[in-house]
Amino acid sequence: MFASDDDLCTIGELAVRAGVSVKTVRFYSDSGLLPEASRSVGGHRRYAPEAVHRLGMIRSLRGLGLSLPTVRGVLDEEEGEGPDGARAGGALEDAVAGRLRALGSEMTALRWREAALRLVQECPPSERPARLRLVGAVTLPPSTASLARFWRSWLPPRMPARSVAAFLEAAIPHPPDAPGPVQVLAFARLHALVTRPCGADGSSPCQPRAHRGAGGRASAVLYAGLARAYELAGAQMRRGAVPSPGGALDGFVDAYAGTYGARDSPAFRRVLAGRLAADPRIDRYWELTAQVISAPGGRPEPTPGSAHDWLLGALGVDLGRAGPGRVSAPESEPGRDAPPSPAVGG
């Protein structure tokens, strides 16, 4: 209660009661957050007793970093002025949740900037200009849009959207919220890799022959089968298993055989091994991806690329050869039994 006869107070009295400056009271009044009860004969602002509580709420909400429109929505709901009869406290709950999301993004950006600064600080002075250019080309926190564009141009045309989305989810690494300098450098290099022309001189082909030999739906079937095989191989890799025949390899071969109407046989596997070894490879992409997603100092997490190579190794073991790189298709094998490869893991 105020001491005046009409139980109203001046802007100065309200400022003293609330522990703020007159300038602050005037700002919130002019913003429409703190309505006046009336004006004196001389035109001075007058406030009702509830203005003290409202001003305290405004300061608390603003202290949490909420915007003026958000504060207005919370106050209106508290006074029963919600636009659509929203549940009590709904506006405040939504505002707090939104602010927490925003803070999470801001903190992630700060962690990436800190790691980037350490990356520059810890490298030899002669390398700093190049590191700055490399890291400076990446937004912080990083966007994976450039990686998505790379894969969309790499994938076979006319693949169903659902299949493309599933592949992108597996092929594009999720940047960690709290990276180390090594992970920042790996992501920056990954961005540089996918934004330069394909091939060392920009002219050599990136896409394997499968993209020219299979239609969109056939490619979708192939990639779905490969995804299952990679998942099985990844589980083996996490256990430290060496490449060897088994369910993962059988699924890998079946993905190719089923897509191209061939029969899984020793002859088919020999031809497949030769074709896979000959197709274009993007090893560097998968090496950098593993560095981005793996904890510093820990065992590298499997990627579609490393799983693909594990399966190629298993195929080489199955054929009794030293490895997939030294397996070639016999010239006598018919071309129809030699499906082209998408070289996902290369």
Side-chain angles (χ1 to χ4, degrees):
M1 301 291 290
F2 296 125
S4 61
D5 294 338
D6 56 5
D7 204 25
L8 300 179
C9 71
T10 65
I11 190 172
E13 291 171 333
L14 176 59
V16 171
R17 182 70 66 89
V20 300
S21 66
V22 170
K23 183 178 180 180
T24 297
V25 178
R26 184 177 294 112
F27 172 77
Y28 289 133
S29 291
D30 293 342
S31 299
L33 294 178
L34 191 64
E36 308 159 14
S38 66
R39 291 261 180 161
S40 67
V41 176
H44 299 293
R45 306 172 198 246
R46 306 273 285 171
Y47 296 92
E50 56 268 23
V52 177
H53 169 73
R54 187 176 179 93
L55 185 53
M57 280 289 294
I58 292 171
R59 294 184 64 204
S60 296
L61 293 169
R62 289 290 286 166
L64 294 175
L66 303 183
S67 66
L68 291 178
T70 301
V71 171
R72 180 178 290 108
V74 172
L75 294 174
D76 288 346
E77 182 182 86
E78 185 186 59
E79 295 180 355
E81 299 176 8
D84 53 4
R87 67 191 185 284
L92 178 58
E93 181 180 333
D94 293 344
V96 170
R99 185 58 185 150
L100 284 172
R101 288 192 297 270
L103 281 174
S105 297
E106 292 169 13
M107 291 173 68
T108 298
L110 287 173
R111 294 188 190 106
W112 273 83
R113 291 193 180 100
E114 179 185 22
L117 288 169
R118 292 190 183 282
L119 177 66
V120 174
Q121 182 185 51
E122 294 169 1
C123 74
S126 60
E127 296 180 13
R128 285 175 185 166
R131 288 281 173 90
L132 281 170
R133 288 192 297 271
L134 188 66
V135 175
V138 179
T139 60
L140 299 178
S143 166
T144 57
S146 61
L147 309 184
R149 285 193 297 270
F150 169 80
W151 284 115
R152 288 183 183 278
S153 66
W154 187 92
L155 287 169
R158 299 180 299 281
M159 271 185 68
R162 182 178 298 178
S163 299
V164 172
F167 178 85
L168 294 180
E169 177 65 23
I172 296 176
H174 295 282
D177 289 339
V182 171
Q183 291 168 301
V184 171
L185 180 59
F187 192 91
R189 286 173 170 165
L190 196 56
H191 173 78
L193 177 70
V194 301
T195 53
R196 67 170 179 248
C198 203
D201 58 0
S203 61
S204 60
C206 289
Q207 287 77 12
R209 285 166 290 181
H211 297 187
R212 301 190 295 273
R217 296 200 175 275
S219 296
V221 172
L222 174 60
Y223 278 93
L226 291 176
R228 290 190 291 272
Y230 293 156
E231 184 176 353
L232 292 173
Q236 296 280 356
M237 295 167 68
R238 290 187 182 94
R239 290 195 290 268
V242 298
S244 58
L249 177 60
D250 291 343
F252 183 66
V253 175
D254 284 345
Y256 288 102
T259 299
Y260 293 97
R263 182 175 59 86
D264 184 1
S265 66
F268 177 85
R269 292 192 176 205
R270 285 196 298 272
V271 174
L272 177 61
R275 290 297 179 89
L276 290 173
D279 261 325
R281 298 176 60 85
I282 47 175
D283 299 280
R284 186 59 173 157
Y285 179 93
W286 300 115
E287 291 170 2
L288 293 170
T289 294
Q291 292 176 28
V292 171
I293 65 176
S294 301
R299 173 179 289 180
E301 277 293 310
T303 67
S306 60
H308 188 90
D309 284 344
W310 191 95
L311 289 162
L312 288 183
L315 183 57
V317 171
D318 186 53
L319 295 172
R321 306 297 182 102
R326 295 170 64 181
V327 178
S328 60
E331 293 182 2
S332 60
E333 294 293 343
R336 60 185 175 84
D337 288 335
S341 159
V344 172

